[in-house]
């Protein structure tokens, strides 16, 4: 059996992955700015030195961040990224 050209395989794979990534999520558990704030957290933006991404980074409360903020369309996006701090559960 003859194999399809690599370019066709690449296009098909890219199409499938793009469709999966863009599909609406039923149980969206991403830690977005809105979700962090709704859970009582606060947003700590990075000033450009990557400090918030270091394993020893602590929020103003002295605790580790809940996690990195994932940005969605329509939200304000800090250029250097951000993490969720505070009382988020």
């Amino acid at each position: 059996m003859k194999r399809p050209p690599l370019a066709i395989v690449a296009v098909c794979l890219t199409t499938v992955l793009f469709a999966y990534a863009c599909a609406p999520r039923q149980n969206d558990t991403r830690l977005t700015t809105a979700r962090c704030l709704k859970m009582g957290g606060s947003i700590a933006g990075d000033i450009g030195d990557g400090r918030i991404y270091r394993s020893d980074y602590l929020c103003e409360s002295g605790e580790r961040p809940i996690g990195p903020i994932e940005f969605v369309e329509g939200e304000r996006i800090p250029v250097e990224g951000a993490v969720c701090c505070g009382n988020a559960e």
Side-chain angles (χ1 to χ4, degrees):
M1 186 166 131
K2 188 175 178 184
R3 298 171 102 175
L6 187 56
I8 292 175
V9 172
V11 168
C12 290
L13 183 58
T14 302
T15 302
V16 169
L17 292 175
F18 181 76
Y20 175 76
C22 294
R25 299 178 186 194
Q26 294 294 332
N27 296 318
D28 192 352
T29 58
R30 294 178 294 175
L31 184 55
T32 63
T33 297
R35 185 164 187 219
C36 175
L37 297 174
K38 185 177 181 180
M39 294 187 304
S42 62
I43 308 301
D46 191 66
I47 61 170
D49 60 2
R51 182 175 299 162
I52 64 171
Y53 299 109
R54 295 184 193 146
S55 61
D56 62 344
Y57 176 76
L58 299 176
C59 297
E60 288 183 10
S61 65
E63 296 184 19
R64 294 178 47 89
I66 304 304
I69 296 295
E70 293 185 45
F71 296 97
V72 295
E73 188 174 332
E75 286 187 349
R76 189 170 172 204
I77 302 174
V79 175
E80 302 296 334
V83 292
C84 179
C85 292
N87 299 324
E89 299 175 17

